[in-house]
Amino acid sequence: MPKLYTYNGKGQLYVAIKGSGRFVPLCNIEKLAFTPQMKDEELLNNQTLAGGQLDVVTEVTGVEIAIGGISQYSPDVLSLLLKGASTNVAAGTATETVKIYRNCLAPVSKPIDWSKPVTVKASAGAKGTVKDLTEGTHWMRSGAGIRVLDVAALLDGDPVDIQYTSLAISQTEALTTPNVEVELQFEGLNAADSGNPVIVRAYRCRLGAGGLDLLQSDGFSKSDLSGKLMMDPNRVGVGLSQFFTVMQVQ
């Protein structure tokens, strides 16, 4: 009698740009589902009032993919969620000219390393009387730059030069790589089968943009991805699936 399987477990999902061989982990996920979409072609009985079907042919029109509860965001995961590309940007010194407005944020292009000196000086075209803006008197620290205080001597719209050292960052540019084909590899561990592995390989997929919820107030942020699993015409042979394969230990 063949072995009967039940499944209760967890696992890790890996994603690679098709053909690259570089499978990066999606880290912590809560759901992975492949759902075939079907279409029935019916031959109706038109010979009697009883009606009914004389024959039915069911065809697979596609396979839907659902990846749920992504909750750890490496640069590779962010790139996948936002259909973009991530690069590492080294720390360095910078001087940027920005306009200031009282009670408003004056952002700079990179996060500031506040352990290093930061100077804010009026630019050559500034019309205000304050030439050297000091922390605590004219501005306060902010995650994205400086927050300008409500000081009458500061003129709205005046340009200032902010000299600072930036932190090393990973930067993801969103929506720059649409419609990339990927492969999926799932490594599951089945607690209902003594922890034996369950391996799933999907050969040709396109995933939508999952987005990123940065304003969660009731717990950890989580993201979902959905997409289509397409037929891979390069997989040929008797009994070979052109969609996905499931492997279990005997």
Side-chain angles (χ1 to χ4, degrees), residues 51-165:
Q53 300 162 322
L54 292 175
D55 205 351
V56 177
V57 174
T58 300
E59 294 181 327
V60 176
T61 59
V63 180
E64 301 282 346
I65 305 170
I67 304 169
I70 301 169
S71 57
Q72 292 178 304
Y73 301 100
S74 69
D76 284 313
V77 173
L78 276 180
S79 296
L80 185 67
L81 287 170
L82 302 178
K83 283 189 171 292
S86 295
T87 55
N88 293 326
V89 181
T93 58
T95 300
E96 296 185 30
T97 302
V98 300
K99 291 183 178 181
I100 60 170
Y101 295 86
R102 289 182 292 176
N103 283 329
C104 293
L105 173 71
V108 292
S109 61
K110 300 179 181 67
I112 295 174
D113 182 352
W114 291 107
S115 68
K116 306 289 176 57
V118 177
T119 61
V120 183
K121 297 180 179 293
S123 298
K127 299 178 181 179
T129 58
V130 180
K131 301 305 178 183
D132 293 314
L133 286 70
T134 57
E135 182 179 2
T137 301
H138 303 105
W139 57 270
M140 296 181 64
R141 299 180 184 189
S142 175
I146 63 171
R147 185 164 60 84
V148 183
L149 300 178
D150 189 7
V151 178
L154 299 178
L155 297 184
D156 284 346
D158 257 3
V160 299
D161 297 326
I162 304 177
Q163 189 174 46
Y164 69 97
T165 300

Side-chain angles (χ1 to χ4, degrees), residues 136-237:
T137 301
H138 303 105
W139 57 270
M140 296 181 64
R141 299 180 184 189
S142 175
I146 63 171
R147 185 164 60 84
V148 183
L149 300 178
D150 189 7
V151 178
L154 299 178
L155 297 184
D156 284 346
D158 257 3
V160 299
D161 297 326
I162 304 177
Q163 189 174 46
Y164 69 97
T165 300
S166 66
L167 295 167
I169 60 171
S170 171
Q171 183 166 300
T172 303
E173 298 291 343
L175 303 177
T176 57
T177 56
N179 298 320
V180 173
E181 286 190 9
V182 298
E183 302 170 70
L184 303 180
Q185 178 90 39
F186 178 70
E187 290 184 340
L189 295 173
N190 190 357
D193 188 29
S194 303
N196 280 323
V198 177
I199 309 298
V200 181
R201 180 74 175 264
Y203 303 105
R204 184 169 173 246
C205 315
R206 280 214 178 113
L207 300 174
L212 182 62
D213 187 354
L214 295 177
L215 298 177
Q216 284 276 1
S217 59
D218 57 350
F220 293 104
S221 293
K222 295 181 181 179
S223 299
D224 298 326
L225 274 173
S226 61
K228 305 286 187 181
L229 177 55
M230 300 173 293
M231 183 184 74
D232 187 349
N234 293 318
R235 279 183 58 83
V236 293

